[in-house]
Amino acid sequence: MILFAAWAVCALLKKTEATLALAVAICAMSIPIETGSAILLKIMDSRVLSAAFGGFDGSYLLYQNLAPAWLGMAAAVAGWRFFALPPKPGLAAMLPAFLLVWAPLSQIGTWGSLWTKPYNQESYEQAELQRNPLRGERAFYSQQRALDKALASLVPGSPEAAHVYFVGVAGDSHQDVFMKEVHYAAGLFKAHFDTVGRSIMLINNAKTVLDTPIASVTSLGLALKQMGKVMNPEKDILFLYLTAHGSKTHRLSLSFGDMRFEALDPPTLRRLLDDARIKRRVVVVSACYSGGFIEPLKDPDTLIITASAADRTSHGCSNEADFTFFGRAYFQDGLRKTDSFIEAFNIAMPLIASRETRDDYSPADPQIYVGTGIGAAIDQYVEQRKARDRADEKGLRKLSGPARVYTQ
């Protein structure tokens, strides 16, 4: 609009070679005018203006008309001075500049565009729903049912043997890798550690929003409290896996689309675990700067494993990946081959370092802290599983009888 106004005035005066210079001058003036109008709009209370104009929206009147009119007058004065015209004839000649700037902008607004489709509320809402399905009514109301169902499915531990209870938290919906890791870890624990009826997943992802509880501080607190009620505190072990983006201030991002839940920091996690009265804890945190969780969570009955040191980033977060560097090494390459959570970390360490070197990443420096009590409890659990496996194997051999050799 400004360029066209400048050309029209210059063509009227037969000085089209000055079109660009005049257009630049008008554009330069639009910067303080736009800024001044925006500041004035913030300062003046629109309700006061509305009352002054008999109920009319004063803020609309101010911003929709003042800025274009101000800029139109500035354009006319600029042209008059630019060409050094006599006062009265000059201002008359600049009337087109005022009209060509003011009239269109007062109709479409200075924030509008001639090149985009008109705003459509329905289309906007559909696009928003695709970006964040949690905003949809169906998903919104299904969440409480999903959480209630997950909590109700937990079965109590037995006094005879120790059991592992699994909680997996995928904190960020923007990348599928967190959801994929939690799904894999939950499946591995069901097959390898018999956590059927002892497992809960909390996932922020559009693909699971209708049937899986979202990951928030509130949902995690409820899940841990229910775990604490059904677990045998003297025998059972909680395995809590958290995978998300982490910050330098050691806060895990819990978000779903543009909805930002309360971040999970180490003191909050410690409080949730203490409130749930879960004694034996294995906490694995896969995130950048996750080493910052170790000191606040330290306890004789707690094992803490982190994907990185407190001042280092971890690697492998992408929408296409099935695992982060740490997740693949710890679960797929480590825990799938051993019953020991500590031994799995020892297996994972050189694999992570090798991949970082190969892909030219700075070392994440994964960390581990083993409390004296939890170390003994894990050893006891591993021995219990080995004894049970030996008993099962012996029972199968007894059931099948001695081997028979057939000759032709």
Side-chain angles (χ1 to χ4, degrees):
M1 291 299 178
I2 291 174
L3 183 62
F4 180 73
W7 171 82
V9 170
C10 292
L12 184 65
L13 298 173
K14 298 181 180 180
K15 296 182 179 182
T16 53
E17 69 279 0
T19 298
L20 184 58
L22 181 58
V24 169
I26 299 173
C27 285
M29 289 186 294
S30 71
I31 297 173
I33 290 174
E34 279 287 315
T35 304
S37 299
I39 294 174
L40 188 61
L41 183 64
K42 291 292 185 182
I43 293 175
M44 301 182 70
D45 189 344
S46 61
R47 289 173 295 179
V48 174
L49 289 174
S50 179
F53 288 98
F56 187 75
D57 188 351
S59 61
Y60 175 84
L61 176 69
L62 176 69
Y63 201 74
Q64 183 81 359
N65 291 281
L66 176 62
W70 188 357
L71 184 59
M73 289 186 290
V77 173
W80 168 50
R81 292 177 177 174
F82 189 82
F83 295 110
L85 299 174
K88 291 184 179 179
L91 288 176
M94 291 303 106
L95 183 60
F98 170 78
L99 294 175
L100 289 173
V101 171
W102 166 75
L105 292 180
S106 65
Q107 296 302 311
I108 66 171
T110 53
W111 59 87
S113 173
L114 296 177
W115 325 116
T116 60
K117 293 181 179 179
Y119 172 77
N120 183 286
Q121 178 67 22
E122 184 176 352
S123 299
Y124 172 78
E125 290 176 353
Q126 290 176 352
E128 282 294 297
L129 192 58
Q130 289 180 347
R131 283 192 291 268
N132 186 0
L134 186 59
R135 292 183 180 275
E137 184 174 352
R138 184 183 174 197
F140 184 81
Y141 284 104
S142 70
Q143 271 301 305
Q144 188 61 52
R145 291 194 299 270
L147 182 58
D148 290 343
K149 182 179 178 181
L151 298 180
S153 68
L154 294 173
V155 298
S158 65
E160 294 81 16
H163 296 283
V164 170
Y165 283 75
F166 174 86
V167 177
V169 178
D172 198 304
S173 69
H174 292 96
Q175 292 176 316
D176 288 349
V177 66
F178 305 119
M179 171 193 68
K180 294 174 184 176
E181 279 196 344
V182 166
H183 274 154
Y184 181 87
L188 174 65
F189 269 74
K190 287 179 180 178
H192 201 53
F193 295 97
D194 191 26
T195 59
V196 176
R198 302 182 180 91
S199 177
I200 285 182
M201 294 186 296
L202 305 175
I203 297 175
N204 290 334
N205 194 281
K207 297 179 177 67
T208 61
V209 68
L210 294 178
D211 51 36
T212 303
I214 59 173
S216 67
V217 170
T218 300
S219 63
L220 177 58
L222 291 172
L224 292 176
K225 277 190 176 180
Q226 185 62 23
M227 287 276 188
K229 291 178 181 179
V230 300
M231 291 174 66
N232 182 338
E234 300 304 322
K235 288 183 176 291
D236 296 338
I237 299 171
L238 170 71
F239 188 100
L240 172 60
Y241 180 54
L242 304 157
T243 178
H245 290 298
S247 70
K248 291 183 179 180
T249 56
H250 311 133
R251 295 160 63 89
L252 292 186
S253 168
L254 301 180
S255 63
F256 202 122
D258 58 355
M259 299 177 70
R260 297 292 182 270
F261 304 136
E262 180 184 347
L264 182 64
D265 57 19
T268 300
L269 181 57
R270 177 65 182 260
R271 175 177 56 81
L272 295 179
L273 290 166
D274 290 345
D275 289 348
R277 298 182 179 180
I278 298 174
K279 180 180 178 181
R280 296 178 170 182
R281 312 162 179 176
V282 177
V283 181
V284 180
V285 186
S286 178
C288 294
Y289 311 105
S290 50
F293 276 74
I294 291 180
E295 283 298 325
L297 297 180
K298 271 187 176 180
D299 180 89
D301 292 309
T302 302
L303 165 64
I304 310 163
I305 294 174
T306 64
S308 65
D311 59 348
R312 301 288 183 91
T313 59
S314 56
H315 310 296
C317 297
S318 73
N319 197 54
E320 297 77 20
D322 291 329
F323 296 94
T324 59
F325 286 13
F326 174 84
R328 180 181 296 278
Y330 185 76
F331 290 106
Q332 190 175 58
D333 299 321
L335 204 54
R336 194 164 56 91
K337 301 174 182 177
T338 178
D339 292 333
S340 172
F341 307 128
I342 300 170
E343 180 61 25
F345 178 82
N346 295 332
I347 294 172
M349 281 287 287
L351 297 175
I352 295 171
S354 175
R355 187 170 182 185
E356 289 170 341
T357 301
R358 185 192 69 194
D359 294 347
D360 196 26
Y361 284 104
S362 60
D365 192 16
Q367 302 287 301
I368 186 170
Y369 164 81
V370 185
T372 54
I374 193 65
I378 291 173
D379 291 340
Q380 183 180 6
Y381 173 76
V382 171
E383 287 302 317
Q384 172 192 301
R385 284 185 58 83
K386 289 180 179 178
R388 189 181 66 183
D389 292 342
R390 286 193 296 268
D392 291 343
E393 185 179 350
K394 184 178 179 180
L396 286 173
R397 284 201 306 268
K398 186 176 181 180
L399 184 64
S400 60
R404 297 181 181 181
V405 180
Y406 294 89
T407 59
Q408 187 171 6

